[in-house]
């Protein structure tokens, strides 16, 4: 067994350590102090924002030897048992893996017995929206007449999927995304206590990437440490996350200043040829615009992730910001956000990126110094693409079998990465695999390749122990025993049934491309 993950090690053991959810914590503490704890709580909110952690702390507060108390001692037998996940009075049920009615039936039987050690039995059902209707109905019977000593905490990322009959019996708390500043502060604390040197810029990038989820941020820190032999630098984090380098981003912003479309298109082309992830590129460019907007409004604002990405000082970023008016920066953000959404769903992000650049370099009035040849070239490409899409749509309408080009493996791969990224137990594989390029899927052989710059990622995935773990996860996700083929050539270059295969593996139905 490996060492304890940083996330587990630094999971808050006291209410005061739960970051960014002060509104919930103080309400709960107040309820405990005044003896007005509800029978059922619904903790709704994005992943990794402290829902189950808070549920465990509530259990501690109720069952502590000094309890019920708003500040459990974390030293008594009950507190320690809950901390170590072996308390007989706290039941954690994962709704995602226990969808069946059996678990809820069992719950209904055990719920009648008094708590063994403490005063309360606490049932924590995570991802409760995954339960089946039958299971919900069984649960409802218990909720209608809850025994005196029982508390339910339902945690969910999708409260809208929970039946109204259940909702109406719960006191509801909405967990917020945790602000980046708060995450950075926590990451700094953890690094200091672990004796790890980390640049502030590196931690900020991790926080931004985690998008308000503390658990993801800490897991990413854990991986960065593995990458960097105890000095976590901005460069290490950029490499690990596959972020775009400062030089290309700077060049992109120079293009926006000069409105030089020709230069811009060739920048995108070479970024693509160098194997850079264009969606990442656009995401980074969007962060830069956001940072410039903030700096424009407040020169003393905290360090912006855009500044880290560009690798510039505050003075330089103010100079750059002065070259854009705020309206234009907002337009950059809006245009890129829209483009990223579209590009993620296609095998050809390059085209969408180019299109957004055309929009961003258009002068509202007057003439532009755009090279006519570049526009003709671009229009040709656009035409070819829309023709291809029309053909596809036509075939779908006619119900004919699809002759999809090999490039559609991108859809499959993108789906796989999304799933890896969305689960806490597979996030680290995502970090390794997200820089790889899918080549083909043939039978059970999934061919992928790593660009030369990602030797470290390749080595990690090739490591036989990791490889078999990853393949195991892939099987869990897809239901198929897939074999990873790294940097090998597939036998066939084209797979006419690719889309159908993708559908077989992931389920769902084929929708029309954009
Ligand atoms: Zn205690």
């Amino acid at each position: 067994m490996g060492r304890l993950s940083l996330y587990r090690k630094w999971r808050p053991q006291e209410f005061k350590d739960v970051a960014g959810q002060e509104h919930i914590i103080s309400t709960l503490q107040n309820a405990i102090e005044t003896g007005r704890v509800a029978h059922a709580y619904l903790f709704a909110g994005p992943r990794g924002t402290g829902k189950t952690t808070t549920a465990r702390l509530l259990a501690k507060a109720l069952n502590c030897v000094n309890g019920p108390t708003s500040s459990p001692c974390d030293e008594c037998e009950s507190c320690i048992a809950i901390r170590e996940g072996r308390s007989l009075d706290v039941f954690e049920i994962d709704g995602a893996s226990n969808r069946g009615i059996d678990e809820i039936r069992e719950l209904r039987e055990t719920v009648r017995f008094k708590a063994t050690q403490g005063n309360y039995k606490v049932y924590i059902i995570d991802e409760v929206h995954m339960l089946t209707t039958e299971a919900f109905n069984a649960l409802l019977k218990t909720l209608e007449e809850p025994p005196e000593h029982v508390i339910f905490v339902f945690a969910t990322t999708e409260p809208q999927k929970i039946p109204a009959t259940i909702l109406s019996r719960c006191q509801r708390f909405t967990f917020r995304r945790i602000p980046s500043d708060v995450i950075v502060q926590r990451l700094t604390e953890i690094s200091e206590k672990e004796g790890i040197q980390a640049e502030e810029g590196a931690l900020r990038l991790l926080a931004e990437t985690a998008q308000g989820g503390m658990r993801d941020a800490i897991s990413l820190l854990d991986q960065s440490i593995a990458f960097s032999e105890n000095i976590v630098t901005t460069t290490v984090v950029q490499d690990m996350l596959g972020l775009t380098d400062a030089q290309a981003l700077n060049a992109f912003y120079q293009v926006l200043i000069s409105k030089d479309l020709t230069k811009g298109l060739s920048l995108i082309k070479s970024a693509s040829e160098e194997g850079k992830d264009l969606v990442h590129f656009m995401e980074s460019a969007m962060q830069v615009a956001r940072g410039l907007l903030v700096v424009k409004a407040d020169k003393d604002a905290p360090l912006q992730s855009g500044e880290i990405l560009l690798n510039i000082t505050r003075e330089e970023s103010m100079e750059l910001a002065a070259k854009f008016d705020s309206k234009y920066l907002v337009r950059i953000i809006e245009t890129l956000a829209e483009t990223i959404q579209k590009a993620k769903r296609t095998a050809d992000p390059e085209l969408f990126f180019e299109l957004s650049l055309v929009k961003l370099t258009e002068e509202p009035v007057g003439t532009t110094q755009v090279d006519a040849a570049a526009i003709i070239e671009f229009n040709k490409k656009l035409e070819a693409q829309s023709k291809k899409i029309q053909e596809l749509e036509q075939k779908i309408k006619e119900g004919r079998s699809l002759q999809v080009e090999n490039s559609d493996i991108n859809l499959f791969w993108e789906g796989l990465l999304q799933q890896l990224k969305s689960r806490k137990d597979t996030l680290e594989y995502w970090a390794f695999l997200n820089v790889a390029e899918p080549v083909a899927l043939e039978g059970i052989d999934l061919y992928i390749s790593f660009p030369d710059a990602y030797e470290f990622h390749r080595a990690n995935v090739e490591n036989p122990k990791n490889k078999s773990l990853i393949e195991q996860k892939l099987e869990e996700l897809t239901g198929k025993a897939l074999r990873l083929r790294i940097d090998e050539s597939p036998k066939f270059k084209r797979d006419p049934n690719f889309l159908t295969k993708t559908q077989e593996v992931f389920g769902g139905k084929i929708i029309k491309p954009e």
Side-chain angles (χ1 to χ4, degrees):
M1 290 301 289
R3 67 189 177 87
L4 198 59
S5 73
L6 281 186
Y7 168 67
R8 289 231 181 92
K9 190 169 169 190
W10 295 101
R11 189 170 202 175
Q13 297 303 335
E14 292 180 51
F15 280 122
K16 69 172 174 52
D17 292 332
V18 179
Q21 313 296 354
E22 292 77 8
H23 59 302
I24 293 170
I25 299 301
S26 64
T27 310
L28 271 180
Q29 283 183 311
N30 194 35
I32 295 162
E33 284 298 321
T34 55
R36 281 192 227 127
V37 176
H39 273 297
Y41 288 97
L42 179 74
F43 289 178
R47 52 187 256 108
T49 49
K51 299 186 294 295
T52 51
T53 296
T54 304
R56 284 178 174 202
L57 290 176
L58 175 63
K60 256 190 187 177
L62 293 172
N63 286 330
C64 177
V65 70
N66 305 324
T69 167
S70 62
S71 45
C73 70
D74 202 29
E75 283 170 359
C76 71
E77 208 177 310
S78 165
C79 283
I80 292 171
I82 293 172
R83 185 176 68 209
E84 293 177 352
R86 53 174 178 80
S87 166
L88 297 173
D89 297 328
V90 180
F91 303 83
E92 285 196 44
I93 299 168
D94 179 8
S97 54
N98 295 287
R99 301 195 59 198
I101 191 165
D102 290 346
E103 286 75 13
I104 302 296
R105 280 221 185 96
E106 197 187 318
L107 181 155
R108 282 181 62 197
E109 279 158 27
T110 59
V111 93
R112 301 282 153 196
F113 302 118
K114 277 238 153 76
T116 53
Q117 270 175 327
N119 309 313
Y120 289 89
K121 279 167 111 167
V122 180
Y123 290 85
I124 302 169
I125 307 186
D126 199 10
E127 297 300 346
V128 68
H129 62 271
M130 302 285 281
L131 292 182
T132 59
T133 312
E134 269 180 305
F136 269 128
N137 286 337
L139 193 57
L140 189 59
K141 295 227 169 74
T142 309
L143 281 179
E144 278 166 348
E145 297 168 57
E148 199 49 42
H149 54 281
V150 169
I151 308 283
F152 285 98
V153 181
F154 305 128
T156 182
T157 48
E158 298 181 60
Q160 73 282 2
K161 288 189 182 161
I162 297 172
T165 44
I166 302 273
L167 285 180
S168 66
R169 288 180 166 77
C170 298
Q171 187 173 345
R172 179 167 171 171
F173 286 117
T174 303
F175 284 65
R176 302 181 188 136
R177 285 188 195 283
I178 303 163
S180 292
D181 286 345
V182 175
I183 295 183
V184 170
Q185 203 183 330
R186 182 76 179 150
L187 295 181
T188 309
E189 262 172 48
I190 292 176
S191 308
E192 275 167 12
K193 287 180 182 155
E194 289 282 324
I196 286 149
Q197 260 180 285
E199 292 177 6
E200 196 205 335
L203 298 184
R204 190 154 288 277
L205 277 184
L206 294 176
E208 293 281 345
T209 306
Q211 296 182 344
M214 186 66 87
R215 182 176 59 218
D216 286 353
I218 297 175
S219 301
L220 286 169
L221 175 64
D222 221 346
Q223 290 162 39
S224 328
I225 293 167
F227 263 61
S228 54
E229 292 167 359
N230 285 5
I231 303 171
V232 181
T233 62
T234 307
T235 321
V236 161
V237 171
Q238 278 180 337
D239 282 354
M240 184 186 84
L241 299 174
L243 294 175
T244 312
D245 61 69
Q247 213 183 348
L249 263 185
N250 268 308
F252 180 72
Y253 270 81
Q254 291 310 315
V255 163
L256 292 182
I257 292 169
S258 63
K259 301 273 198 299
D260 186 342
L261 180 60
T262 316
K263 212 181 237 170
L265 292 177
S266 85
L267 176 72
I268 293 173
K269 190 161 169 255
S270 55
S272 167
E273 281 168 0
E274 284 163 26
K276 289 203 174 87
D277 182 330
L278 294 181
V279 172
H280 275 313
F281 194 133
M282 288 186 273
E283 280 169 346
S284 304
M286 200 167 77
Q287 284 189 34
V288 169
R290 235 176 52 200
L292 293 179
L293 205 55
V294 172
V295 169
K296 238 176 149 48
D298 175 12
K299 68 177 170 57
D300 297 319
L303 183 68
Q304 298 296 304
S305 60
E307 294 173 305
I308 303 161
L309 288 166
L310 282 181
N311 194 19
I312 54 175
T313 62
R314 175 53 51 91
E315 210 169 278
E316 288 167 325
S317 86
M318 282 171 61
E319 256 172 50
L320 184 60
K323 292 181 178 150
F324 296 96
D325 69 29
S326 301
K327 259 192 196 155
Y328 186 59
L329 289 172
V330 171
R331 210 174 106 206
I332 295 174
I333 295 169
E334 285 173 350
T335 309
L336 289 176
E338 197 184 310
T339 309
I340 289 165
Q341 286 309 315
K342 285 184 186 154
K344 275 184 177 167
R345 281 179 270 132
T346 165
D348 190 4
E350 194 175 338
L351 182 88
F352 287 99
F353 195 4
E354 287 170 344
L355 190 59
S356 72
L357 192 68
V358 172
K359 285 186 197 157
L360 288 173
T361 50
E362 269 170 359
E363 293 284 356
V365 282
T367 52
T368 63
Q369 69 273 49
V370 172
D371 182 346
I375 291 190
I376 292 168
E377 175 66 19
F378 180 76
N379 279 338
K380 262 195 217 151
K381 228 170 146 180
L382 199 62
E383 222 168 81
Q385 180 78 0
S386 52
K387 213 170 146 197
K388 222 161 99 188
I389 290 173
Q390 275 173 7
E391 279 171 17
L392 267 176
E393 282 181 341
Q394 191 56 35
K395 279 179 189 165
I396 290 169
K397 265 192 213 139
E398 292 167 7
R400 276 161 41 197
S401 72
L402 286 168
Q403 298 288 313
V404 182
E405 283 191 356
N406 204 25
S407 66
D408 276 294
I409 189 171
N410 287 299
L411 288 176
F412 171 82
W413 187 244
E414 196 51 46
L416 199 58
L417 288 180
Q418 288 299 331
Q419 296 210 32
L420 288 172
K421 193 182 178 184
S422 70
R423 287 175 44 161
K424 52 192 165 193
D425 59 332
T426 54
L427 188 68
E428 68 176 299
Y429 303 132
W430 168 79
F432 291 137
L433 288 171
N434 91 91
V435 299
E437 280 160 19
V439 179
L441 176 65
E442 287 175 15
I444 61 161
D445 291 318
L446 176 57
Y447 293 86
I448 60 172
S449 87
F450 286 85
D452 287 343
Y454 297 106
E455 189 46 50
F456 179 85
H457 296 65
R458 184 212 318 269
N460 263 287
V461 176
E462 270 180 341
N463 172 315
K465 210 178 108 205
N466 287 345
K467 192 161 168 255
S468 84
L469 278 172
I470 292 172
E471 285 172 344
Q472 211 177 309
K473 289 292 169 196
L474 293 184
E475 186 174 357
E476 277 174 35
L477 288 176
T478 63
K480 292 249 157 103
L482 293 175
R483 195 163 50 193
L484 271 183
R485 299 276 193 172
I486 298 156
D487 292 333
E488 292 177 48
S489 300
K491 274 169 284 174
F492 310 104
K493 275 210 165 341
R494 189 174 287 243
D495 183 353
N497 297 317
F498 189 78
L499 206 54
T500 323
K501 274 191 202 160
T502 307
Q503 186 194 17
E504 271 172 24
V505 175
F506 281 122
K509 59 180 186 199
I510 298 168
I511 54 164
K512 281 185 202 176
E514 289 241 329

